[in-house]
Amino acid sequence: MTTILASASPRRAELLRQIGLEFVISPSDIDESIHKSESVEAYVQRMATSKANVVKHASQLGDIVIAADTVVS
């Protein structure tokens, strides 16, 4: 079982290292355009879910995928 960070964010990686988590980094390549009339909350949730799904489909059964997204508004 491998823990996978679905992000290239150095800050997210540092936060996981601070709690002693061992993980590999596997950023997803997705379109991060906001949809017309999409709320900020819906956008962030869609991005995190999409990143997790892309990486999960490329991972092994039992791997743990961590994905997140942030927006400053």
Side-chain angles (χ1 to χ4, degrees):
M1 177 176 67
T2 302
T3 300
I4 304 166
L5 175 59
S7 172
S9 166
R11 181 67 181 138
R12 286 192 187 96
E14 179 58 29
L15 289 170
L16 295 178
R17 285 186 194 102
Q18 285 178 8
I19 64 170
L21 190 64
E22 292 184 19
F23 60 94
V24 297
I25 296 173
S26 180
S28 57
D29 182 25
I30 62 169
D31 177 9
E32 295 193 30
S33 302
I34 191 164
H35 293 165
K36 195 172 191 173
S37 73
E38 184 175 36
S39 71
V40 173
E41 294 84 2
Y43 170 75
V44 171
Q45 184 173 359
R46 181 173 58 84
M47 287 296 96
T49 301
S50 296
K51 290 174 182 182
N53 286 334
V54 166
V55 173
K56 187 63 179 172
H57 283 104
S59 66
Q60 301 294 317
L61 184 63
D63 286 349
I64 298 169
V65 176
I66 300 171
D69 204 79
T70 55
V71 173
V72 177
S73 67

